[in-house]
Amino acid sequence: MGVGRAGQRAEDLINELGITAPNEIDIEAIAFDRGVHVSYEVLHGCEATLVGYGDKAIATINPSSSRGRERFSIGHEIGHWQMHRGKSFKCRSDDIVLNYSSNNDYEKEADEFAAHLLMPTRIFQSAIRASGQPGLNDLKKIADDFEVSLQAISIRLAQLDSLPVIVACYSKRGREWYSRANHIPWRWTPKTTLDRDSFAYDVLHNGQTHTRPRKQPADAWFEQDDADQYELLEQAIPSANGQVLVMLYLSDSEMCEEAYTQSSRSRY
Ligand SMILES: [Zn+2]
């Protein structure tokens, strides 16, 4: 997938600052460099605010026990400042899920900016390559290196589009969100409620977890009639608020290729 406009702005900034390693992404120093003063203050009804005056701005961040969340909020506000100058913002920027699914372009752009600022493609790509086909445990370690949340890094991995990966989050209500590598055909959309045969179901209902992705028939995850012809790799772990985070690798490459035949056929 190509990098969007907001992502490119963040990547350009990273290059301009000569940053080449995760531990060099000092988010407060980057904010300072852009004229944004960061302060921490308990906020009600939002996670971060941005107020600009002239060529300076103040980003106020709701303190969190997760440094990853704070960093994402700061990156998000820098994004607003770089791209939407002249406006003030009250953001729920910790909750990237709400923003990804929101219709608010400003919020989406600020999130895309933050994701690329905290996980620049070149640096992130080499960390991912070093772990081959990372499981969620590997991703946790990479998330620690980049000081981002597991959720943020999972979504970034899917959007990087270098591996046939789908990440998703389920609660007892059903699917909360998912993110899919762009080259995976649209028809492979994870079910809206967890199948009893999925490992994620066991995690959500019985607290069972596995340390590695394991083989699973694809019809545990997809409604398509032909899903039972394929196998995939599934890993699921407990996430915040009683939810479960799922990672699926479409390891059978035919699942990604076959769609071309299908879509060209459907034109006739
Ligand atoms: Zn925002």
Side-chain angles (χ1 to χ4, degrees), residues 76-77 80 89-93 99 106-107 110:
H76 179 104
E77 298 308 331
H80 280 317
F89 289 93
K90 268 188 158 188
C91 303
R92 302 203 47 177
S93 55
N99 289 339
Y106 285 148
E107 295 313 303

Side-chain angles (χ1 to χ4, degrees), residues 6 75-76 79-80 83-84 105-115:
H76 179 104
H80 280 317
M83 290 180 297
H84 315 131
D105 286 343
Y106 285 148
E107 295 313 303
K108 280 186 190 164
E109 283 189 335
D111 276 349
E112 185 188 316
F113 185 95

Side-chain angles (χ1 to χ4, degrees), residues 12-144:
D12 290 347
L13 181 53
I14 289 291
N15 291 334
E16 202 182 305
L17 295 169
I19 290 170
T20 58
N23 63 5
E24 293 167 7
I25 307 170
D26 180 339
I27 196 73
E28 305 216 6
I30 296 172
F32 183 79
D33 177 77
R34 306 322 290 174
V36 179
H37 173 78
V38 178
S39 83
Y40 294 85
E41 208 176 287
V42 176
L43 297 168
H44 300 284
C46 66
E47 282 300 318
T49 63
L50 183 79
V51 178
Y53 53 97
D55 60 353
K56 300 271 176 218
I58 296 177
T60 307
I61 309 295
N62 205 13
S64 167
S65 55
S66 156
R67 183 61 186 148
R69 277 169 67 154
E70 290 178 347
R71 282 167 56 83
F72 200 90
S73 289
I74 299 168
H76 179 104
E77 298 308 331
I78 300 172
H80 280 317
W81 180 239
Q82 292 295 102
M83 290 180 297
H84 315 131
R85 205 161 289 197
K87 295 188 170 58
S88 291
F89 289 93
K90 268 188 158 188
C91 303
R92 302 203 47 177
S93 55
D94 70 309
D95 200 338
I96 55 178
V97 175
L98 284 181
N99 289 339
Y100 269 113
S101 56
S102 99
N103 293 319
N104 185 330
D105 286 343
Y106 285 148
E107 295 313 303
K108 280 186 190 164
E109 283 189 335
D111 276 349
E112 185 188 316
F113 185 95
H116 282 261
L117 193 66
L118 294 169
M119 295 163 277
T121 302
R122 201 159 32 87
I123 305 171
F124 185 58
Q125 181 83 269
S126 64
I128 294 298
R129 265 197 212 116
S131 62
Q133 187 171 268
L136 288 167
N137 301 40
D138 306 307
L139 271 194
K140 259 187 201 164
K141 287 188 200 114
I142 301 171
D144 287 345

Side-chain angles (χ1 to χ4, degrees), residues 197-233:
D197 290 334
S198 66
F199 303 136
Y201 186 93
D202 287 338
V203 175
L204 191 65
H205 295 274
N206 310 318
Q208 293 175 15
T209 65
H210 305 282
T211 53
R212 297 292 313 164
R214 296 189 309 157
K215 275 189 181 173
Q216 173 75 280
D219 60 353
W221 282 98
F222 306 111
E223 303 283 4
Q224 270 66 22
D225 291 341
D226 60 339
D228 60 359
Q229 297 173 22
Y230 304 106
E231 273 189 336
L232 47 71
L233 293 170

